[in-house]
Amino acid sequence: MTGSYVLDANALIDFVEAGPGTRKVDQLLHAAALEQAAIFVSVMNLGEVFYWLWIKRSEERARQTLDGLSRLPIQIVPVDLPQAVKAAELKALHKLPYVDCIAAALALQHRATLVTADRDFEKLGRHFPVLWLSRR
């Protein structure tokens, strides 16, 4: 797999929970380790993963997982004003959760493929390519 990819929070959750999309995410990470692909995640989406793990598993598990994810070939991207505004535009037009719009705005900014299993992204039409993971 080559190109640029943005991981939505549910793609990371699926990966760390050994869900049905684990294999695809693992393939992307392998390609990134070989510098054949670039993988991005918004710090906001990473925060969403941390929150989900804390609530569903434990604070300790959330912190351990975040530490492990920080060692992977994933570029963690802070949210800047243009990205925040683009996310707000997407939310206003398509009624998606704001943090999902952050991932979509990052995909647009990097001309990247969004990696997700969240079918809410179908509301965005064809703004950018999507690599759909299997749903649980």
Side-chain angles (χ1 to χ4, degrees), residues 22-45:
T22 299
R23 185 167 176 245
K24 283 183 184 177
V25 174
D26 193 47
Q27 288 172 337
L28 291 173
L29 291 169
H30 182 71
L34 296 174
E35 298 182 1
Q36 297 172 346
I39 301 178
F40 303 95
V41 67
S42 169
V43 68
M44 296 290 292
N45 295 110

Side-chain angles (χ1 to χ4, degrees), residues 78-89 98 101-102 105-106 109:
V79 178
D80 60 12
L81 184 58
Q83 185 185 4
V85 170
K86 184 55 152 177
E89 291 172 3
Y98 186 70
C101 293
I102 291 287
L106 186 60
Q109 184 179 18

Side-chain angles (χ1 to χ4, degrees), residues 4-96:
S4 296
Y5 299 87
V6 170
L7 300 178
D8 179 37
N10 73 32
L12 281 172
I13 291 168
D14 200 62
F15 175 71
V16 301
E17 293 284 293
T22 299
R23 185 167 176 245
K24 283 183 184 177
V25 174
D26 193 47
Q27 288 172 337
L28 291 173
L29 291 169
H30 182 71
L34 296 174
E35 298 182 1
Q36 297 172 346
I39 301 178
F40 303 95
V41 67
S42 169
V43 68
M44 296 290 292
N45 295 110
L46 204 51
E48 186 178 15
V49 171
F50 181 81
Y51 164 78
W52 189 93
L53 287 167
W54 183 321
I55 296 301
K56 299 292 184 179
R57 302 292 177 238
S58 69
E59 176 186 357
E60 181 180 354
R61 170 81 187 276
R63 292 189 186 285
Q64 289 171 347
T65 301
L66 190 62
D67 184 52
L69 289 172
S70 70
R71 294 184 182 125
L72 296 175
I74 299 172
Q75 297 176 50
I76 300 170
V77 182
V79 178
D80 60 12
L81 184 58
Q83 185 185 4
V85 170
K86 184 55 152 177
E89 291 172 3
L90 292 170
K91 180 168 179 57
L93 294 171
H94 302 285
K95 310 297 187 237
L96 289 169

